[in-house]
Amino acid sequence: MEDPGKTEVVLLACGSFNPVTNMHLRLFELARDYMNGTGKYRVVKGIISPVGDAYKKKGLISAHHRVIMAELATKNSSWVEVDSWESLQKEWTETEKVLRHHQEKLEAGGCDRQQDSPVLERPGRKRKWAEQRSEVSQKKSLEPRTKGVPEVKLLCGADILESFGVPNLWKSEDIAKIVGVYGLVCVTRVGNDAQKFIYESDVLWKHRANIHLVNEWITNDISSTKIRRALRRGQSIRYLVPDLVGEYIEKHSLYSSESEERNVGVVLAPLQRNTADTNSNPTV
Amino acid sequence: MKSRIPVVLLACGSFNPITNMHLRLFEVARDHLHQTGMYQVIGGIISPVNDNYKKKDLAAAHHRVAMVQLALQMSDWIRVDTWECEQAQWMETVKVLRHHHHQLLRSLSLEEGPDQGTAVSPAPAAAPELKFLCGADVLKTFQTPNLWKDEHIQEIVEKFGLVCVGRAGHDPKAYIMGSPILRRYQHNIHLVREPVQNEISATYIRSALGQGQSVKYLLPDAVIAYIKNHNLYSRDSPRKGNGTRNSGAETGQSGPATAPLSSP
């Protein structure tokens, strides 16, 4: 049922999801309740977009597994789903591009079935889509959004917001687009410094109307790092991740001291890329 | 090789409703006891409190039991027990412990025998122990005047033993040091660190449900479905209890009772 007064919203969460946890899933629930509760928005979809292996984060296991775990985790959700487009890209893809991809998909009326899961991936189709996308994006990048099309917003925790300050992790023009064109829904613990962080950043302050801070009253510290640590120590992760995810991890012995050593000594993709860009083209 | 002491963990409380945090208590407690090398946890029991406890907003026992059952569907070692809530009156925790300890000894002595394999280690030389499982907030309530009898506290820590899982804002070591009884039996109190801070309180859950907010991923889906089907904890649910505020002596009771509205 449509409500003409409300803006439809799609919440997009990018991240490692290494593995997905109940906390990630809670972010969606809290954000949806909050946005719907303002009376101005109607959240119609949630998307988990696991990062590609080319991100080169320490301990990052294969995207194939991470996507499947996210799919298992959202099996019982009526509105949150997984999209594997980002994870299938050969190179690491900036978050702004992922947002753009999903916004354009919506505008193209492309709410066809979500991107094929890795099991069904057809490489030919992917290449064609990638070519089309690069053409379309050049025309459409800064045009006002088509009316009636849902708005994609980046869903995140306060840690992402604060990571905007890490040198070379984000391009400043990307940050400007993320908050200026799309919008941020940021779930933060009570007493967190998110507001202070926004205040101290000119670009965030400028677009503060487009940054929605959602209070998380229940401290819910289920980080993937702690999950992996517990697994290495033979400790239970029951009730911290959906049962199906826990079973999958156990069945495939996904996390170990060895897996945690992946990408050690390798520079994180955004740092590599942005440092190279700065060196070759020193503008900010 | 010295055989481990078989242990059953017993958690008492309102479980109004049961949450993922309650379930986590069992998991972290079991891991902790196993990693001491001294114990083998052979079972867990959730014992919802009697309706006559008369706590505000306490849903009927049969609902609370049903929800625990649903939550434990996928657990192969924890079960719900209705003995406590079936009694005519509310009863002190120590009596519940005594009952279950007695049951435990009976059931294991029936199973023992040269040709019968038991769930315990092949040569169960050590007598099984029943330990009281709780959060640090419950340990703190030992200090509340008139809530616990001193002799009961002593019996709990002396005869049974306590497994206490940490919670934010609580200092269980300090509670132990501040009580002569607890200090004397501190060797029988196992303090478990829960590295994944998880402050899911049933109070918050009830409040969120009353406001129509999502509680998904804070408690099992099957429990949420049950709550919806039976219209529990909604704003217009019939209220139970006489409105007196009992300040805890249960797992799952958070500190401050404030559960603010969703958006500031």
Side-chain angles (χ1 to χ4, degrees), chain A:
Chain A
M1 189 175 81
E2 290 204 358
D3 186 327
K6 298 192 183 181
T7 304
E8 291 192 332
V9 166
V10 170
L11 296 171
L12 172 73
C14 299
S16 305
F17 300 102
N18 187 37
V20 66
T21 72
N22 282 348
M23 183 205 73
H24 293 128
L25 300 164
R26 270 309 284 163
L27 293 186
F28 281 94
E29 300 291 310
L30 289 165
R32 179 169 74 155
D33 279 347
Y34 175 83
M35 296 296 277
N36 287 354
T38 61
K40 294 188 282 190
Y41 302 100
R42 194 168 79 85
V43 176
V44 299
K45 193 171 13 167
I47 301 175
I48 291 181
S49 175
V51 79
D53 290 334
Y55 189 50
K56 298 278 182 225
K57 191 170 179 183
K58 181 174 174 291
L60 192 69
I61 67 164
S62 149
H64 170 86
H65 288 306
R66 291 183 288 112
V67 167
I68 291 179
M69 287 191 285
E71 284 171 350
L72 291 170
T74 52
K75 200 166 166 206
N76 291 332
S77 176
S78 60
W79 66 287
V80 183
E81 59 188 49
V82 180
D83 191 284
S84 57
W85 177 83
E86 182 184 355
S87 68
L88 293 172
Q89 302 308 301
K90 212 179 95 203
E91 299 294 325
W92 170 70
T93 309
E94 283 93 341
T95 301
E96 189 276 328
K97 291 198 172 74
V98 183
L99 281 161
R100 199 185 331 154
H101 164 82
H102 285 283
Q103 186 65 60
E104 285 167 2
K105 204 166 148 188
L106 286 168
E107 284 173 19
C111 273
D112 44 7
R113 222 23 222 130
Q114 70 193 58
Q115 195 71 19
D116 292 339
S117 75
V119 178
L120 302 172
E121 181 208 351
R122 287 173 284 160
R125 178 177 159 192
K126 179 185 81 181
R127 271 202 294 278
K128 188 174 169 208
W129 172 253
E131 280 165 18
Q132 283 177 347
R133 195 188 64 72
S134 62
E135 283 172 20
V136 170
S137 64
Q138 263 143 34
K139 288 183 218 152
K140 282 199 142 187
S141 52
L142 292 170
E143 277 174 17
R145 209 154 298 124
T146 318
K147 240 186 169 166
V149 174
E151 293 181 5
V152 178
K153 296 191 184 299
L154 185 66
L155 168 65
C156 64
D159 55 333
I160 299 294
L161 189 69
E162 287 175 20
S163 80
F164 283 172
V166 174
N168 289 323
L169 194 57
W170 301 81
K171 289 194 187 105
S172 41
E173 57 264 34
D174 279 5
I175 297 175
K177 280 186 207 143
I178 290 170
V179 293
V181 175
Y182 302 101
L184 212 64
V185 182
C186 180
V187 181
T188 69
R189 215 160 294 166
V190 178
N192 181 272
D193 286 331
Q195 276 173 329
K196 176 163 174 272
F197 194 76
I198 294 170
Y199 166 76
E200 288 176 354
S201 154
D202 285 345
V203 65
L204 296 183
W205 178 257
K206 180 174 170 197
H207 298 289
R208 62 194 183 282
N210 224 3
I211 302 175
H212 307 269
L213 294 182
V214 182
N215 270 326
E216 180 189 11
W217 298 107
I218 295 181
T219 303
N220 205 345
D221 200 22
I222 308 176
S223 75
S224 300
T225 304
K226 292 190 177 179
I227 298 289
R228 297 196 305 273
R229 186 178 296 133
L231 288 165
R232 291 197 298 277
R233 297 177 184 182
Q235 291 165 349
S236 163
I237 58 168
R238 201 92 200 267
Y239 313 115
L240 300 178
V241 302
D243 282 346
L244 290 174
V245 175
E247 283 162 24
Y248 185 88
I249 291 174
E250 200 180 318
K251 183 169 164 201
H252 297 269
S253 305
L254 289 183
Y255 294 107
S256 62
S257 322
E258 289 72 41
S259 70
E260 199 64 16
E261 289 304 298
R262 282 184 181 216
N263 295 319
V264 162
V266 177
V267 179
L268 201 69
L271 296 175
Q272 173 115 35
R273 187 176 299 173
N274 295 333
T275 317
D277 283 357
T278 312
N279 288 339
S280 61
N281 182 17
T283 49
V284 163

Side-chain angles (χ1 to χ4, degrees), chain B residues 171-189:
Chain B
D171 187 356
K173 279 209 176 88
Y175 305 154
I176 294 174
M177 290 306 147
S179 151
I181 302 173
L182 297 183
R183 252 203 329 268
R184 197 179 327 138
Y185 297 103
Q186 59 182 289
H187 55 278
N188 223 6
I189 301 176

